[in-house]
Amino acid sequence: MFEELLQAPALASWLGLLAGLLAVYLLYSSWTFQDEQKRPPGPRPLPLLGNLHQLDLQRLDNSLFKLSKRYGPVFTVYLGLKKVVVLAGCKTVRQALINHAEEFGEREINPLFHDSAKGHGITFSNGDSWKEMRRFTLTTLRDFGMGKRLSEEKITDECHYLIDEFEKHKGKAFYNKTIISYATSNIISAIMFGKRFDFKDAVLRHMVKNDQEITRLAGSASMVIYNAFPKLGPCLKNWRDIMKNMENTKQHLLHLINKLRETFNPDICRCFVDAFCTRKLSLEESDAHEVHYHNDNLVYSVINLFIAGTDTTSTTLRWSLLLMAKYPQIQDRVQEELSRVVGDRQITMEDRRNLPYIDAVIHETQRFANIVPLSVTRSTSRDVTFQGYFIEKGTTVLPLLTSVLYDESEWETPNTFNPSHFLDEEGKFIKRDAFLPFSAGRRACLGEGLARMELFLFFTHLLQRFRFTPAPGMSEDQLDFTPVVGFTLSPLPHQLCALSRH
Ligand code: HEM
């Protein structure tokens, strides 16, 4: 009879359900019970949902920052079934990323990151392939002048193109988002492909549009859901859109790479793509057993650099102009310093050390704008005991940059735009430990040197030439700092006037 009962479909389903509930219960109790012992604490998760119901997915960084005040600088949250250890506050983030660089130095390859690069390239790869691509890219960027005269010349040229575009508006209000992205995208193109594009070029326009879409969609709430429940991907419009945009970007970049290959001459290195092909060739000729210089690594490294290098820098520049329009007294001081130190002559990188106030304004813009609030998630490379908590190998780790750039114990006025954060009493520029917009450690931003050069040169060239004000009829108070949340935090669409100073 017992056997008969077991064969009855209704009972079998009940037993299945019971087994399922038992599994969920065991998982749930292991989350809560074990974590209280020695794992980082955190809010109690619900089965399947984890803590998703307690988080504002539109501003995940702010929600996590709030939780850090309750659970401390190292705590656990569950995004669905995925366990994430959050690191909060300057001291903790630095201690993990710098003092435990190896343990916290892997990239988490979540479903979205996997879709984006299939483990190739720089940003979403690990192991020897990542090491080789990162090393090669850094050397090549330096060869092409990152932080040196060569890129200074390229950026300065691009500044003049941008100024010409701003001038065309003759002081009338305009949206500056797209044109600034064209300019920053051209800097990456010059390094990647050895050429800049005319601002009217259809390829440039398409690539920048795709890039803006990818950055917007990658930070959307549906991507948090997708990473927690990857099977839902095809049902999510944002996921389908992001895949489409990535494929478009890939096709455009592949086309450019293939055109360079047609005219490739190993004796003349024109750009990053040539440098990659030359390295591949020389390794093949020397019979070295080299497995990393393949097409996928080339294509995905180019995609990574293009996407990471365009939107980040242009978004920061847009914040800087918006902040100048909002705080005319700060803009006065910037322009007074520029007029006194540089006057009307050509600005160079050399000038930076004599422009401490401007340097402070640019740093404070990066702090205040906090454009990559969640950094790019990491993963532990091995078991680690950190601040007394056990974190096992392969755990997703989120270094919360918001909590560093707005750390109340580090900044005198964290919620106010205040360039004095970077100035001593004599008005000299000072470095601050909690200035980590590029993150830190072995996976820290690879383009920091280039980005810092771009920010300085674009900002000073524009401020030398123009006075930035809100659109007519709008007061400074009406300029809104609420960010648009994507993978980066960018200003809401807004118009500014660029009034010629000459
Ligand atoms: C204001 C501009 C920029 C900001 C705020 C910024 C910020 C960041 C941040 C927070 C990360 C994550 C680092 C980590 O995991 O610890 C990152 C990674 C990265 N950035 Fe940037 N970035 C900027 C500009 C650039 C530029 C211009 C390039 C290209 C030349 C670039 C290329 C990269 C790459 C390739 C990575 C991945 C590094 C790796 O995984 O090894 N970034 N960036």
Side-chain angles (χ1 to χ4, degrees):
M1 185 178 145
F2 187 58
E3 262 177 24
E4 268 174 36
L5 270 177
L6 263 184
Q7 279 160 12
L11 187 67
S13 339
W14 272 108
L15 285 177
L17 185 66
L18 267 179
L21 285 174
L22 186 67
V24 168
Y25 170 77
L26 287 175
L27 193 62
Y28 185 53
S29 52
S30 75
W31 275 340
T32 48
F33 179 70
Q34 275 186 22
D35 287 351
E36 276 157 22
Q37 300 287 303
K38 55 180 178 173
R39 320 252 164 157
R44 183 178 277 255
L46 287 179
L48 292 177
L49 264 190
N51 302 107
L52 285 176
H53 62 297
Q54 292 158 313
L55 299 166
D56 172 5
L57 297 187
Q58 303 293 338
R59 275 310 295 261
L60 190 55
D61 65 317
N62 281 348
S63 280
L64 296 174
F65 195 16
K66 272 193 206 130
L67 286 180
S68 75
K69 296 189 173 138
R70 177 149 177 219
Y71 293 100
V74 185
F75 66 97
T76 310
V77 286
Y78 286 86
L79 303 178
L81 290 173
K82 182 193 278 287
K83 174 181 170 174
V84 177
V85 169
V86 181
L87 305 174
C90 172
K91 289 197 175 62
T92 298
V93 170
R94 287 185 72 94
Q95 192 187 3
L97 302 192
I98 300 171
N99 303 350
H100 294 266
E102 278 297 313
E103 292 95 320
F104 291 98
E106 295 258 293
R107 181 70 69 218
E108 182 223 7
I109 310 292
N110 62 31
L112 182 63
F113 293 170
H114 178 79
D115 297 340
S116 316
K118 319 278 184 294
H120 303 303
I122 313 156
T123 317
F124 307 124
S125 61
N126 279 316
D128 288 346
S129 179
W130 163 75
K131 211 179 265 174
E132 190 57 40
M133 287 305 106
R134 183 169 170 116
R135 200 168 29 208
F136 169 79
T137 304
L138 274 171
T139 318
T140 310
L141 287 182
R142 270 189 213 116
D143 290 349
F144 279 100
M146 179 162 90
K148 289 199 220 136
R149 256 216 97 74
L150 197 61
S151 17
E152 182 172 345
E153 274 167 26
K154 285 182 185 137
I155 301 167
T156 305
D157 287 350
E158 204 59 43
C159 287
H160 292 296
Y161 288 112
L162 189 60
I163 287 172
D164 289 348
E165 289 299 314
F166 275 31
E167 239 151 29
K168 285 184 189 160
H169 295 276
K170 300 199 164 66
K172 294 214 177 82
F174 66 101
Y175 292 100
N176 57 26
K177 175 173 172 169
T178 311
I179 200 75
I180 295 182
S181 292
Y182 291 163
T184 54
S185 162
N186 264 340
I187 304 300
I188 295 289
S189 292
I191 297 171
M192 296 292 107
F193 312 118
K195 67 176 249 183
R196 74 174 292 277
F197 293 87
D198 187 273
F199 289 150
K200 290 203 171 61
D201 191 291
V203 172
L204 172 75
R205 287 173 170 244
H206 274 123
M207 288 198 306
V208 167
K209 193 159 175 272
N210 286 333
D211 177 34
Q212 287 174 347
E213 274 301 278
I214 292 169
T215 315
R216 183 180 69 81
L217 295 167
S220 65
S222 16
M223 288 308 122
V224 179
I225 306 284
Y226 171 62
N227 282 332
F229 306 103
K231 289 229 158 50
L232 291 180
C235 315
L236 300 169
K237 182 174 181 311
N238 280 359
W239 181 79
R240 294 195 305 271
D241 286 351
I242 206 170
M243 290 303 116
K244 199 170 69 198
N245 280 291
M246 278 181 190
E247 188 52 33
N248 283 345
T249 303
K250 187 174 163 191
Q251 290 312 323
H252 280 304
L253 294 174
L254 254 179
H255 180 69
L256 290 166
I257 291 172
N258 287 338
K259 268 174 69 179
L260 282 163
R261 277 192 178 131
E262 282 165 21
T263 50
F264 173 64
N265 173 353
D267 299 328
I268 306 167
C269 187
R270 298 163 294 183
C271 57
F272 180 89
V273 174
D274 278 358
F276 190 99
C277 296
T278 309
R279 173 69 68 91
K280 180 175 171 14
L281 196 70
S282 72
L283 287 168
E284 279 164 6
E285 280 168 359
S286 70
D287 272 348
H289 184 67
E290 175 47 69
V291 288
H292 302 306
Y293 288 83
H294 50 73
N295 200 38
D296 283 333
N297 262 344
L298 170 60
V299 174
Y300 285 106
S301 297
V302 169
I303 294 178
N304 288 163
L305 293 166
F306 189 81
I307 293 183
T310 297
D311 180 75
T312 46
T313 322
S314 66
T315 298
T316 311
L317 276 169
R318 288 173 59 226
W319 278 115
S320 72
L321 302 185
L322 183 63
L323 284 159
M324 290 304 96
K326 176 96 175 175
Y327 300 114
Q329 305 86 333
I330 296 181
Q331 188 173 184
D332 285 342
R333 285 191 66 182
V334 164
Q335 289 179 328
E336 183 282 319
E337 186 175 66
L338 260 180
S339 305
R340 179 166 40 83
V341 178
V342 182
D344 288 339
R345 72 161 165 78
Q346 178 64 52
I347 302 164
T348 67
M349 282 310 297
E350 274 288 291
D351 291 318
R352 185 162 57 184
R353 57 197 165 96
N354 299 318
L355 297 167
Y357 188 74
I358 289 175
D359 211 3
V361 166
I362 296 172
H363 279 72
E364 180 65 355
T365 301
Q366 286 203 269
R367 183 198 73 79
F368 188 73
N370 177 28
I371 67 157
V372 197
L374 302 164
S375 190
V376 184
T377 36
R378 304 279 191 94
S379 165
T380 39
S381 60
R382 57 173 105 112
D383 290 351
V384 51
T385 300
F386 180 68
Q387 295 193 358
Y389 296 117
F390 176 72
I391 307 170
E392 67 221 336
K393 177 180 167 155
T395 304
T396 299
V397 175
L398 194 156
L400 187 62
L401 294 187
T402 300
S403 69
V404 183
L405 298 174
Y406 280 76
D407 187 333
E408 288 98 351
S409 60
E410 295 285 332
W411 304 101
E412 293 72 21
T413 55
N415 297 311
T416 308
F417 180 73
N418 175 9
S420 303
H421 284 142
F422 294 92
L423 293 168
D424 68 9
E425 277 161 14
E426 290 164 24
K428 291 204 186 93
F429 178 81
I430 44 169
K431 288 189 176 162
R432 302 289 301 258
D433 273 357
F435 178 73
L436 285 191
F438 298 101
S439 185
R442 66 204 283 263
R443 300 298 298 234
C445 178
L446 176 154
E448 174 173 349
L450 182 66
R452 280 165 48 75
M453 232 177 155
E454 286 187 57
L455 293 178
F456 175 77
L457 290 171
F458 277 117
F459 182 74
T460 49
H461 275 78
L462 290 172
L463 268 289
Q464 185 184 41
R465 199 59 163 259
F466 303 106
R467 175 92 188 161
F468 290 91
T469 64
M474 197 181 210
S475 71
E476 283 104 28
D477 294 342
Q478 287 170 290
L479 291 178
D480 191 349
F481 285 157
T482 313
V484 177
V485 183
F487 187 70
T488 54
L489 297 181
S490 58
L492 282 168
H494 63 274
Q495 292 194 319
L496 291 183
C497 301
L499 306 173
S500 181
R501 293 180 67 210
H502 301 291

